[in-house]
Amino acid sequence: MITYVRLACIALYLAEAGTKDINIKIVPEHVFLDSRDVNISCEFNSNLVKTPQWITIRRNGLFLLHDVVIATGNKTELGEFFRDSKYRSRMEINGSVADQRVNVMMRTMECEDEAHYECVVGGHNDQGSLQMFSDSYALVVNSHPERPTITVNGSSVLNKTFIGVKAGEEVHIECDAYVGKPPITMHWYKYDANNGSYITERNMTGKPSRRLPIGNLCNYYTTFPLGFIASISTPEVRLKCAVGNEQEDVIINVST
């Protein structure tokens, strides 16, 4: 019997220890730019302050620290930075101080939404002292790769376009693509007539470079150049640039 009492006391202690005064949740917490209906909620559960005076969800990200939603008294509204129509059109808010919770539903996602979100609650305790509580959580915004583009000797080519070159000519090919976030590796493949399939190209010169463009911090950009000397011994060179399932082909015909 004593053992059961001890176990019950331990369980009660752990339950109380696991209870947070304030809790912020983001569902889902890892999203893509084409995701919909991301919910950020803040709930206040403390007995130290029976009636909070304000509840705020803040965003600390690309455009620094701003209040997303502010609840005071009977009023719940978007923060000043988010009152522009481009935010109001995709954000819905609800909850109040009386509910001891506030929610922000983001109907669509933008790159700038990736940030740390902080819930802050303030109020006076029974002794009249001001107490503040906070909790934070990160939202990660990812993106899918896009179809590559290929240029041959500086000119853009359409998919599976035949490009004519002369034997002995230097051929410069470049593949460019937004490769998503997290970034997907770009590959060049060359058609092998001996086995009738594409294999990884390893003999042509070239080295890929990857960067995160300013103004598009949710989508990495990769450039992968290749170069070779056209030879009549290989009258047709078929190449494929691929980023995941996104790909582009080019066919180079060599003549004398």
Side-chain angles (χ1 to χ4, degrees), residues 145-163:
E146 300 177 13
R147 187 168 185 167
T149 59
I150 294 177
T151 59
V152 177
N153 293 335
S155 299
S156 298
V157 298
L158 299 176
N159 189 40
K160 296 184 179 178
T161 299
F162 289 84
I163 303 296

Side-chain angles (χ1 to χ4, degrees), residues 114-129:
E114 177 166 315
H116 275 85
Y117 290 82
E118 182 183 25
C119 179
V120 181
V121 177
H124 290 88
N125 58 26
D126 293 338
Q127 289 73 43
S129 300

Side-chain angles (χ1 to χ4, degrees), residues 34-89:
D34 56 358
S35 297
R36 297 290 183 270
D37 297 341
V38 177
N39 188 65
I40 302 175
S41 63
C42 172
E43 295 184 358
F44 182 64
N45 306 303
S46 178
N47 293 320
L48 298 176
V49 174
K50 294 182 179 179
T51 305
Q53 292 179 279
W54 76 86
I55 303 176
T56 302
I57 295 179
R58 298 172 175 172
R59 187 181 79 178
N60 192 358
L62 181 62
F63 296 115
L64 304 179
L65 180 65
H66 294 283
D67 293 332
V68 181
V69 59
I70 306 169
T72 56
N74 297 321
K75 184 170 64 174
T76 302
E77 59 184 351
L78 287 171
E80 184 176 357
F81 182 83
F82 295 93
R83 292 173 190 169
D84 187 273
S85 60
K86 71 175 183 177
Y87 296 111
R88 287 189 288 107
S89 63

